[in-house]
Amino acid sequence: MLKTCKMDFLGIRPYMTWKPIAFFILFSTGFTYFMDLSFFPMVFAMIVALMIMTYPFVTGEDSGTERLYRMIGMEDEDTVKGRYLYSFAVFLVAILAAFVIMNGVNLVKNGELLIGESLMSGGLYLAVSTLFMDINVPIFFAVGHKKAKAVAGGVIIAATLIVVGISGFAASAFPEEAKALYLWATSHVALIVLFGIVLLAAFTMLSYAVALKKFKKRDL
């Protein structure tokens, strides 16, 4: 698993030059400072990380990376696990970089750190990125990135619209119940976080099982 993850990182190394890294840092820093949007580095980091997460699938189709992994004797389980580990590592590094930028800009501009806000937003974006990974990786392993990128994006948009629609309907149709639920959630943050982690971990395990099953059946 670790070997596959390392090879995936080596595969994207030619794309990770100082220019895109400098652009990410300068654009995040400048936009956050002048537009006074403290959360922007987290949003931008998530968008960039989601793009980088798909690189091994793109390069794999062009250069036959997954076929090579099988030829040199790597187990399919290690290939799939390594791709999940690679994706999560990309998300984590991007959010940590955004955490530093977010707090650094606010320290220079306002003389204070945003530890609580940045931890909360970072955890939220990490959860959303992981959910994106869980939905898309099985699809990419099943049919490849080129065929599935439109479908995968559609799934994310549809899921977002459903969540937003249900939330909006509940808030308008049952305002008292929605308010009571919100108050309960704000007073049980630790329980909500723990439940979210357990649910996300279970969904990731299910996603891995589906991805492995699809990858084993795929003719490379």
Side-chain angles (χ1 to χ4, degrees), residues 37-74:
L37 295 173
S38 61
F39 60 87
F40 178 78
M42 290 293 179
V43 177
F44 192 47
M46 185 176 71
I47 294 173
V48 172
L50 291 177
M51 294 172 58
I52 297 175
M53 170 252 175
T54 63
Y55 279 7
F57 291 100
V58 177
T59 57
E61 287 186 74
D62 295 335
S63 58
T65 304
E66 281 113 7
R67 187 184 304 113
L68 174 63
Y69 289 171
R70 281 182 176 175
M71 289 176 61
I72 62 178
M74 285 189 179

Side-chain angles (χ1 to χ4, degrees), residues 4-5 36 40 58 61-63 76 123 132 142 164-165 175 180 186 216:
T4 305
C5 179
D36 198 24
F40 178 78
V58 177
E61 287 186 74
D62 295 335
S63 58
D76 288 343
F132 180 93
V164 172
T186 54
K216 283 180 175 291

Side-chain angles (χ1 to χ4, degrees), residues 59-117:
T59 57
E61 287 186 74
D62 295 335
S63 58
T65 304
E66 281 113 7
R67 187 184 304 113
L68 174 63
Y69 289 171
R70 281 182 176 175
M71 289 176 61
I72 62 178
M74 285 189 179
E75 298 291 337
D76 288 343
E77 290 83 354
D78 291 332
T79 299
V80 177
K81 288 179 182 178
R83 192 61 52 82
Y84 276 90
L85 180 61
Y86 157 84
S87 301
F88 188 79
V90 167
F91 298 147
L92 190 60
V93 169
I95 288 174
L96 288 175
F99 179 90
V100 173
I101 294 173
M102 183 176 175
N103 283 277
V105 170
N106 201 72
L107 181 62
V108 171
K109 190 173 184 179
N110 301 316
E112 61 180 4
L113 298 175
L114 298 173
I115 302 298
E117 181 182 340

Side-chain angles (χ1 to χ4, degrees), residues 20-41:
I21 296 175
F23 173 77
F24 170 76
I25 295 173
L26 293 175
F27 186 75
S28 296
T29 302
F31 199 90
T32 303
Y33 186 88
F34 292 108
M35 299 303 294
D36 198 24
L37 295 173
S38 61
F39 60 87
F40 178 78

